[in-house]
Amino acid sequence: MFTENKYTAEPFRDIYPSRDGSPARLLERIDPVLYAGDDETAPIAATLVKQYREQGFVILENIFSDREIALFSAELERLRRTEATDTTDEIIREPGHGDIRSIFKVHESNLLFNKLASDNRLAGLAQYLLADEIYVHQSRVNYKPGFRGKEFYWHSDFETWHIEDGMPRMRALSVSITLTENHPYNGPLLLIPGSHQYYAVCEGETPKDHYRSSLKQQQYGVPSDALLQQMAQRGGIVSATGKAGSVIVFDCNTMHGSGSNITPFPRSNVFMVYNALSNRVVEPCHGLTPRPEYLCSRQQIKAITPQTVDYGNS
Ligand code: 6CS
Ligand code: FE
């Protein structure tokens, strides 16, 4: 599919086409996974860097202390209570009963999570893996409440961020901090090892204001059953279980999702999405209207300086 490049009036080929009427298929990834130099200067063990490069994700245990997790969890509970009746767009509610599903842009709206965004354990690692200055493309807390927390269907974040936000290349990653125990049974993040090496072209046309439905239940920008089966048969499926205080680091293109939570045990995580400054978003694909700032930093792109953060009694 060719689209006009307004600068050169030359058609340029989108190297990661999707939702353009072309058939569902897997394309080879063109971008590197790891932009960093050698593994020896990494802030994490070389074996973990190797795992991230080969699998598209790595689970780091015991990164945040019990006291830090208690602070983050108390803040999540405070937000859940104080935002109970709030109708701002940044708050996404579960379909039906209306429990809070996600709150976006917490790195801007919340002092504690603003500090967390520059925490060296997260931002320093992202800066190493992406080998560039970084900024927060998106942040959110996912509550995945007990009893009725709904699933997040399979998707590649990059496919959405490329098509709907205009993220040019695969030079971004997510970190998910587990605030509650992620058990095998309360809707943990599911990831397909090695899936980051293939770009799953999705069918269908993006509806207007797609985010108003996709953040509750995603139906566009999801892989076909056949492609999902192919990737899962090739790489298997890993359930990112772990104690609170773990950090799941995953590449922007790693296929992932999570099941519903019908247990009494919430599965709450904080997500920070770091994008390389050289990969800042441009216009969305297919002439789509840019998504709101709380989903995609566009007007407020600020480089992050990783630092040691003392959360004190904040
Ligand atoms: O549309 C997005 O940006 C969001 N959707 C999902 C399911 N994952 C990434 C992101 O939070
Ligand atoms: Fe996602």
Side-chain angles (χ1 to χ4, degrees), residues 146-287:
F147 304 107
R148 289 171 292 277
K150 288 285 172 279
E151 84 278 357
F152 288 84
Y153 193 70
W154 292 103
H155 62 281
S156 150
D157 290 336
F158 176 76
E159 192 275 348
T160 290
W161 296 337
H162 179 64
I163 298 298
E164 298 190 50
D165 294 336
M167 183 182 282
R169 305 296 285 258
M170 296 178 183
R171 193 168 186 171
L173 60 83
S174 292
V175 293
S176 169
I177 301 99
T178 58
L179 301 188
T180 55
E181 174 109 25
N182 282 217
H183 300 285
Y185 45 71
N186 68 337
L189 197 62
L190 305 174
L191 305 114
I192 299 183
S195 59
H196 62 310
Q197 293 292 13
Y198 304 93
Y199 179 71
V201 176
C202 300
E203 292 172 327
E205 189 179 332
T206 311
K208 184 172 170 357
D209 294 343
H210 179 222
Y211 64 92
R212 292 193 186 284
S213 60
S214 69
L215 299 175
K216 290 176 182 281
Q217 191 169 30
Q218 189 159 353
Q219 292 173 318
Y220 294 86
V222 294
S224 67
D225 293 357
L227 291 185
L228 193 64
Q229 180 150 22
Q230 196 180 334
M231 285 190 276
Q233 277 170 337
R234 197 179 288 178
I237 294 176
V238 167
S239 170
T241 53
K243 289 190 314 91
S246 307
V247 177
I248 306 151
V249 188
F250 56 108
D251 175 80
C252 59
N253 187 46
T254 302
M255 190 59 65
H256 66 286
S258 60
S260 292
N261 181 13
I262 57 171
T263 74
F265 312 112
R267 189 229 70 184
S268 304
N269 292 21
V270 187
F271 288 79
M272 295 288 168
V273 179
Y274 295 107
N275 189 22
L277 206 55
S278 59
N279 192 42
R280 65 178 62 208
V281 296
V282 295
E283 302 85 20
C285 295
H286 312 319

